[in-house]
Amino acid sequence: MHELAVTKSLLDIVLQKKEEMNLEKILSIQLVVGKMQNYEEEWIQRYFEYVSEGTPAEGAKIQIRYLPVSFACKECGTEFEYNVKTDDKILCPSCGNMDCKLLTGREFYIESMEAV
Ligand SMILES: [Zn+2]
């Protein structure tokens, strides 16, 4: 399970931060996730509840801010969004070129966290 491994490393990071900052308890975690990662908020939350049981992060709320998948055309430089669910080909909308560079969509990081 990919999500489970990701959620575990997420827990490690926030617990380490908690130690460094001398905090008691983690209340919520704000994540930034690119849509290409295909992580459902519901599953991240569920896995997090499972892995954080008995830790100071138990019960923390996960909030995800999704970033769109976007590309830049290597021919003409046009930047465009790609819909993972409905678009099948990565194609520049202005010149039809298929050689495009990924700009956003693979992110997965902690933006902030709330702790006491
Ligand atoms: Zn183009």
Side-chain angles (χ1 to χ4, degrees), residues 5 7 16 24 26 43-44 47 49 56-57 60 67 70 75 78-79 82 88 90 95-96 99 105 108 112:
T7 313
Q16 199 190 331
E24 289 285 315
I26 295 153
W43 280 104
I44 297 281
Y47 282 132
E49 277 165 21
L67 290 184
S70 66
E75 281 297 321
T78 300
E79 294 180 8
Y82 175 78
D88 55 343
I90 297 156
C95 73
D99 190 14
F108 188 89
S112 58

Side-chain angles (χ1 to χ4, degrees), residues 2-57:
H2 192 40
E3 267 115 339
L4 185 58
V6 161
T7 313
K8 263 190 186 153
S9 55
L10 173 67
L11 177 69
D12 290 343
I13 295 166
V14 294
L15 288 180
Q16 199 190 331
K17 276 206 167 134
K18 184 201 81 73
E19 286 301 313
E20 283 167 13
M21 295 165 81
N22 219 4
L23 300 161
E24 289 285 315
K25 190 165 169 52
I26 295 153
L27 303 175
S28 68
I29 302 156
Q30 285 74 43
L31 291 179
V32 173
V33 178
K35 279 203 169 149
M36 198 160 247
Q37 299 279 17
N38 207 14
Y39 292 146
E40 299 280 346
E41 189 165 20
E42 190 194 340
W43 280 104
I44 297 281
Q45 179 73 57
R46 273 195 214 177
Y47 282 132
F48 194 81
E49 277 165 21
Y50 169 68
V51 296
S52 67
E53 214 181 300
T55 75

Side-chain angles (χ1 to χ4, degrees), residues 73 75-78 92 94-95 97:
C73 173
E75 281 297 321
C76 70
T78 300
C92 172
S94 31
C95 73
N97 175 37

